[in-house]
Amino acid sequence: MSYQIVTDATADMDYSLLDAHVIPMKVYINQKEFLYGPDGNISVRTFYEALREGTIATTSQITPFEFNYVFEKYMAEGKDVLYLAFSSGMSGTYQNALLSAVELMKKYPQRRIICVDTLSASVKEGYLVYEAVKRKKEGMKLDDLVNWVMEKRVKIHNRFIVDDLETLKRGGRISRATALTGMALQIKPILEINEEGNLQFVKKERGRKKSIRSLFCYYKEKKRECCEDTVVIGHGDCMDDAIILSGYIHEKFPNTDIIITPVGPVIGAHTGSGMLSIAFNSG
């Protein structure tokens, strides 16, 4: 039985590499609504230019109605649906997908919608979707792929630097005093998404160069555990820094396949410009 992989626009990945349906998400800039995702009406560059001009951006969840529209399209074609969701630890989007799934499976009792909480976001989520799509193309059955995702979602390593402490402060992640002190001392926090799908601080570095090097050292430390040589580097409109990190990795591990992808507005609204992230599989 055929099935369709669906994800959302928090999964940061070069969409040309994903044979999946990516549901666009709403971003508000100066209270004006935009859609980000494939065929969206806002580009990554335009978004970050607005942020650098001091614009405050906000986002909203995908509604059950929006999920209904996407899911039913495939169910009406006789397909099951596997939805790989933005972490429930950061959004209610996953719960909205479940509401939609319950409703539609009553209407289409021969079809299934399986919603999996990836416990991930941004390039960590994008990496998981990318690998799931590869396995679907290799012929993996739906139930086997669900089991694979459930296992792998806690085995993907991911860390990221946030350069814009003001955005973290506005989002309530850090206090005003911490933001002011950090900016004065050039402190760069390093964060990760834990196994519960929540953000947590790992450590802090002083200066941009040291923080970028810290991401490389993290990869080098974990590399011995890894079976796969694909790394995803995400950047919040700081391609030069992504290339620097990529260079560190290629110099030490020349056979590594590196995918560099922008961090989109849905995540960027909360992490700000200059965010740099790395994700890779621990095997």
Side-chain angles (χ1 to χ4, degrees):
M1 192 67 65
S2 63
Y3 63 95
Q4 175 66 41
I5 295 177
V6 176
T7 190
D8 47 64
T10 60
D12 289 318
M13 173 56 70
D14 180 347
Y15 293 139
S16 68
L17 301 177
L18 290 184
D19 184 14
H21 186 124
V22 181
I23 303 176
M25 295 180 72
K26 294 174 184 175
V27 180
Y28 299 89
I29 299 176
N30 292 332
Q31 300 183 335
K32 183 178 179 181
E33 182 182 295
F34 296 89
L35 274 182
Y36 176 70
D39 303 320
N41 61 356
I42 186 169
S43 70
V44 171
R45 174 144 307 198
T46 299
F47 169 76
Y48 284 109
E49 285 175 353
L51 281 194
R52 289 190 174 102
E53 292 170 359
T55 300
I56 296 176
T58 58
T59 61
S60 66
Q61 303 170 7
I62 301 170
T63 66
F65 176 80
E66 290 168 322
F67 278 119
N68 284 356
Y69 179 80
V70 174
F71 291 166
E72 186 165 18
K73 172 182 182 294
Y74 294 107
M75 299 176 86
E77 294 174 359
K79 294 180 180 179
D80 293 331
V81 174
L82 171 59
Y83 171 55
L84 302 179
F86 180 29
S87 174
S88 64
M90 299 183 219
S91 170
T93 295
Y94 172 67
Q95 296 299 328
N96 287 345
L98 292 178
L99 291 174
S100 171
V102 170
E103 177 183 334
L104 286 175
M105 284 192 290
K106 291 177 182 177
K107 185 175 180 180
Y108 296 88
Q110 302 303 314
R111 300 272 64 79
R112 291 191 296 165
I113 302 172
I114 301 176
C115 301
V116 177
D117 182 355
T118 66
L119 304 175
S120 306
S122 193
V123 295
K124 184 176 183 181
E125 183 183 355
Y127 184 99
L128 185 62
V129 176
Y130 172 76
E131 291 293 335
V133 166
K134 282 171 57 177
R135 280 150 183 81
K136 177 180 181 289
K137 288 182 176 180
E138 291 167 358
M140 187 175 282
K141 295 180 179 178
L142 175 56
D143 289 328
D144 293 333
L145 185 57
V146 170
N147 292 333
W148 181 90
V149 171
M150 296 289 284
E151 177 186 352
K152 288 295 180 182
R153 64 182 180 172
V154 295
K155 292 186 176 181
I156 295 174
H157 294 296
N158 172 234
R159 279 190 182 176
F160 60 97
I161 309 162
V162 175
D163 196 52
D164 184 357
L165 298 185
E166 179 64 26
T167 302
L168 280 186
K169 177 182 74 68
R170 284 200 303 266
R173 302 294 181 182
I174 59 176
S175 68
R176 181 175 183 273
T178 299
L180 290 173
T181 301
M183 286 186 281
L185 298 177
Q186 286 293 297
I187 297 299
K188 307 300 179 185
I190 297 176
L191 304 93
E192 66 184 13
I193 301 173
N194 62 25
E195 292 188 359
E196 287 73 47
N198 298 308
L199 283 182
Q200 67 179 28
F201 283 91
V202 177
K203 60 179 181 177
K204 54 189 177 183
E205 295 285 353
R206 191 167 183 176
R208 185 70 172 179
K209 290 182 179 179
K210 286 185 178 179
S211 63
I212 295 172
R213 189 77 186 177
S214 177
L215 292 183
F216 166 66
C217 291
Y218 172 65
Y219 175 71
K220 184 170 64 173
E221 173 193 345
K222 297 295 184 181
K223 171 67 179 174
R224 60 179 175 269
E225 303 172 8
C226 299
C227 301
E228 298 183 18
D229 290 315
T230 299
V231 174
V232 181
I233 296 174
H235 68 95
D237 200 30
C238 54
M239 174 62 90
D240 289 347
D241 290 340
I243 291 172
I244 289 171
L245 179 56
S246 174
Y248 288 153
I249 294 171
H250 268 152
E251 183 178 4
K252 182 70 175 178
F253 306 104
N255 295 324
T256 304
D257 177 25
I258 298 177
I259 300 170
I260 297 178
T261 189
V263 172
V266 182
I267 297 298
H270 304 280
T271 56
S273 61
M275 187 262 216
L276 188 66
S277 181
I278 186 170
F280 52 96
N281 190 7
S282 64

